[in-house]
Amino acid sequence: MPRSFLCEHASSKSRVLVLLAHANGPACAQAVFTCRDAHVAQHAARLLSSAALNGALTKQQEITAHKIATALPDAPAASFRQALERARTGVWPSAAPALFSWPADDPLEGPAQDEPELPVSATRSPKDARLADLPGPVVRVVQLREFHVYDQAKLVAAATAGGWEPMPDEELGEDDPHDLVGAVMFAAESTGELPGMDWLTDAQEGHLLLPTRGDEVADWSTEPVRINFGTGWRLQHAAGPYAASPRTDATPPAAEELQPDFASLFALPAACDCEEEDCQKCHWTFTPRTADLLFSALDELAEAAYDDAAELGERPITQDDDGAWGFFSRLPQVTWRQNLRWRRNLARACDDLAGDLQRGSWPRPTCAAEEMVLHLALGDAPAHLEAGDGAHAALPKHRDDYDFDACSDFFFQDDDVLWLYDSKYSSDKADGAGSSPVPPALDPDNWFEDFLNVPARPAERGHRR
């Protein structure tokens, strides 16, 4: 079974290889075709890998495949077309000598029981040690993964070709007679990708275990290990009163099609025609239309932040990036060296403020991080009016619509976090022993410290992804 396609490049030619998996031994590589154009070979390998994983190509990929076949000489073009068909079907005929059986008892390795036990260094991880006995810090990482099996037969065949064996029939339940769970777990332990299944969810939570806090490693823990990943982020965006977008059929709307019913969440006060300066009914109002645009801006910022954080990883942002990181490049330079966890928490800050709106409350920042992202969202919100849909136009109008300057006046305790855009707080000066250090309260490492005069967010809440 073809698992993936690779390229081998030399100065005069390039060769496309297929990595084949089979049940009786390790995966092996075989040549598919050779050509002189490295660019064409690389594109061909990508298309073949996509066909092997998905069982088909998109319309645009089919067009690219035709261009590749046209660019290749006759012999490699024929090999490419044949490989494409084999990749689609997920079966690769091979000569018997190429797929030899791997001996169960490898004479080169010898029996495991004859190997001497290696000493364990005291600086490493003593066997059966409790948390307090381990010399270094311990980090617990819990991962949540979900996969959709869209072709059961293809998944089982691919896993079997990779060396997976299902549980005995007597141990399988009626709900899973083919051990699909075992096949998916086999895939998740390696690349997470096999033909016949798609990756839906990949979330993780991690934190330091501290003996002073009563933490303990799982093997010694008297309490079960529990991690709260929160509700699904699509459901989080569908919490509270909602109005569904107009539909032409009776199909229930998907979660992502639902929008908060801001007309109910931020009901407008009764109209007042008086001209008194102190009339309570005439005070500024946070309107449904304003809330809708601000919600859209926060949601878009969260999406961009999660995407950029995943791609950046632990890499710092530099001036050479020239604004390539749409979200994090907009932050003050003193934040450009923060790690992945910090960046993911900043993305969550966008969702936390959007959640305030979903619950019918003004977005009130609880920390410096939320202040910064709310400043960005208020700056972005007017642009969302141009992309407004019919649902936005249906919201009631009010004289205070889109008054984002007033939002800034009411939502923030101060604007201190914006000081960090001053050139004296540039990353070079802040990272060294410069004469203008960042005030402790504005240090990015302290951005998630809760303000003492507002309720804190639940510590156990998760990330949307």
Side-chain angles (χ1 to χ4, degrees):
M1 173 167 289
R3 290 292 300 275
S4 62
F5 291 80
L6 311 170
C7 277
E8 181 183 54
H9 300 295
S11 58
S12 60
K13 62 182 179 180
S14 293
R15 183 166 60 164
V16 176
L17 306 168
V18 57
L19 185 65
L20 297 175
H22 63 108
N24 297 321
C28 60
Q30 291 186 16
V32 178
F33 68 84
T34 301
C35 67
R36 295 186 179 277
D37 192 325
H39 186 67
V40 170
Q42 197 71 45
H43 272 285
R46 290 175 183 170
L47 285 176
L48 289 165
S49 293
S50 180
L53 181 62
N54 301 316
L57 296 180
T58 65
K59 183 177 181 180
Q60 184 58 48
Q61 288 176 327
E62 291 285 3
I63 294 174
T64 305
H66 177 72
K67 292 180 179 178
I68 291 174
T70 303
L72 289 170
D74 291 344
S79 297
F80 170 66
R81 293 190 185 96
Q82 184 183 57
L84 199 56
E85 186 59 33
R86 291 174 175 177
R88 286 192 182 101
T89 60
V91 177
W92 196 277
S94 183
L99 302 178
F100 60 90
S101 298
W102 198 257
D105 297 325
D106 191 339
L108 297 179
E109 293 185 359
Q113 60 267 26
D114 293 343
E115 294 184 1
E117 185 174 346
L118 296 176
V120 178
S121 170
T123 61
R124 292 292 297 271
S125 306
K127 186 177 180 181
D128 296 332
R130 303 189 69 135
L131 178 61
D133 299 326
L134 293 166
V138 176
V139 177
R140 172 177 290 158
V141 177
V142 179
Q143 206 156 24
L144 170 65
R145 292 179 174 181
E146 294 174 327
F147 303 90
H148 170 226
V149 179
Y150 62 84
D151 190 325
Q152 299 183 24
K154 182 178 287 187
L155 170 65
V156 170
T160 302
W164 168 78
E165 294 183 1
M167 293 173 59
D169 292 342
E170 60 270 16
E171 297 182 22
L172 293 174
E174 295 181 359
D175 58 336
D176 188 14
H178 303 294
D179 197 12
L180 292 177
V181 171
V184 172
M185 291 178 67
F186 171 82
E189 289 174 357
S190 53
T191 63
E193 294 182 345
L194 275 184
M197 59 178 260
D198 286 329
W199 203 323
L200 297 180
T201 305
D202 185 16
Q204 62 179 6
E205 285 292 327
H207 62 273
L208 279 170
L209 298 183
L210 302 176
T212 55
R213 193 169 54 198
D215 294 341
E216 185 54 274
V217 290
D219 284 348
W220 283 99
S221 178
T222 59
E223 299 292 333
V225 176
R226 292 189 176 95
I227 297 293
N228 184 359
F229 285 95
T231 56
W233 71 269
R234 295 187 189 276
L235 182 60
Q236 288 174 357
H237 284 251
Y242 280 82
S245 301
R247 300 176 65 87
T248 58
D249 54 35
T251 306
E256 58 268 32
E257 295 181 84
L258 299 174
Q259 291 294 326
D261 183 7
F262 289 119
S264 298
L265 291 168
F266 298 98
L268 295 175
C272 181
D273 297 327
C274 77
E275 298 180 358
E276 298 179 14
E277 294 183 0
D278 297 331
C279 177
Q280 294 296 319
K281 292 183 178 181
C282 294
H283 284 180
W284 178 80
T285 299
F286 183 55
T287 70
R289 291 187 169 212
T290 306
D292 185 44
L293 294 192
L294 183 56
F295 176 83
S296 297
L298 287 166
D299 183 58
E300 185 174 273
L301 284 174
E303 285 285 349
Y306 277 111
D307 289 343
D308 286 355
E311 191 167 353
L312 269 170
E314 302 290 341
R315 187 176 76 80
I317 297 172
T318 66
Q319 292 283 7
D320 294 337
D321 291 326
D322 194 25
W325 305 105
F327 180 85
F328 294 104
S329 294
R330 299 174 61 185
L331 300 178
Q333 289 187 31
V334 294
T335 69
W336 286 6
R337 294 184 178 274
Q338 293 299 316
N339 59 23
L340 174 60
R341 182 178 179 83
W342 187 93
R343 289 165 177 162
R344 281 175 51 79
N345 285 342
L346 198 66
R348 183 175 63 183
C350 301
D351 281 335
D352 287 336
L353 292 167
D356 290 341
L357 293 170
Q358 290 173 309
R359 292 185 292 273
S361 302
W362 288 8
R364 288 294 177 87
T366 65
C367 60
E370 292 183 17
E371 284 189 328
M372 177 57 73
V373 297
L374 186 55
H375 277 297
L376 295 178
L378 288 170
D380 292 352
H384 286 263
L385 180 59
E386 300 175 3
D389 54 16
H392 180 81
L395 292 172
K397 295 182 179 180
H398 191 272
R399 64 186 180 192
D400 290 330
D401 285 341
Y402 318 129
D403 190 350
F404 295 106
D405 289 336
C407 291
S408 296
D409 293 336
F410 284 104
F411 293 165
F412 298 99
Q413 301 185 48
D414 56 57
D415 295 331
D416 293 357
V417 72
L418 298 181
W419 294 352
L420 295 178
Y421 284 104
D422 193 299
S423 59
K424 67 181 180 180
Y425 296 128
S426 67
S427 59
D428 291 336
K429 293 181 180 178
D431 289 344
S435 58
S436 301
V438 176
L442 300 181
D443 190 311
D445 289 339
N446 301 325
W447 271 20
F448 298 98
E449 295 292 329
D450 294 326
F451 295 150
L452 299 180
N453 59 346
V454 293
R457 306 283 183 189
E460 67 276 7
R461 72 196 187 284
H463 297 75
R464 75 155 70 174
R465 56 184 167 99

